[in-house]
Amino acid sequence: MENKENSTIITILNEMNQQIIQISENLSQKIDEVNENLNQKIDQVNENLNQKIDHNSANIIKILNTVSKMQEDINDLRDDVETVYSLEKDSRKQLKRLL
């Protein structure tokens, strides 16, 4: 009788061990799937960020070029204003002489 009980216990323990092994394999497989999904999402996020960085860099370059052109235009306008002021000043002098 004791052998039969021992055999039943061993069988139950073996079944439990098989179930633990199966659960462990399933868990490992699920972990691998989750890791793969996370890696794909991280790669996609990185790709999106790189695209945004590239887009923003291109926009920054456009803005810098625009600002540079505006600075040139402002310098040209400043020169024009100084020229007009000088001409106006000379005109006043000439008018004073004439009067």
Side-chain angles (χ1 to χ4, degrees), residues 13-91:
L13 287 174
N14 282 335
E15 286 175 4
M16 287 176 61
N17 189 37
Q18 286 299 321
Q19 288 176 347
I20 289 172
I21 290 171
Q22 186 178 6
I23 289 171
S24 176
E25 288 172 353
N26 288 342
L27 183 61
S28 177
Q29 186 178 22
K30 291 291 182 187
I31 289 172
D32 289 344
E33 289 174 10
V34 167
N35 281 337
E36 181 63 30
N37 287 339
L38 282 174
N39 285 335
Q40 287 176 353
K41 287 181 182 181
I42 288 171
D43 289 344
Q44 183 63 40
V45 167
N46 281 337
E47 185 178 330
N48 289 343
L49 286 174
N50 285 335
Q51 287 174 354
K52 288 180 181 180
I53 288 170
D54 290 343
H55 180 72
N56 286 342
S57 295
N59 284 340
I60 288 171
I61 290 171
K62 287 178 187 176
I63 290 169
L64 287 174
N65 288 337
T66 301
V67 167
S68 176
K69 178 68 173 127
M70 288 173 68
Q71 285 175 330
E72 290 173 11
D73 290 346
I74 288 170
N75 285 334
D76 290 344
L77 286 171
R78 181 174 289 133
D79 290 343
D80 290 347
V81 166
E82 287 175 1
T83 301
V84 168
Y85 179 74
S86 289
L87 288 172
E88 191 267 340
K89 194 174 179 182
D90 286 345
S91 294

Side-chain angles (χ1 to χ4, degrees), residues 1-12:
M1 198 66 157
E2 190 175 314
N3 262 349
K4 189 175 181 180
E5 288 175 1
N6 283 342
S7 176
T8 302
I9 291 174
I10 290 174
T11 302
I12 291 172

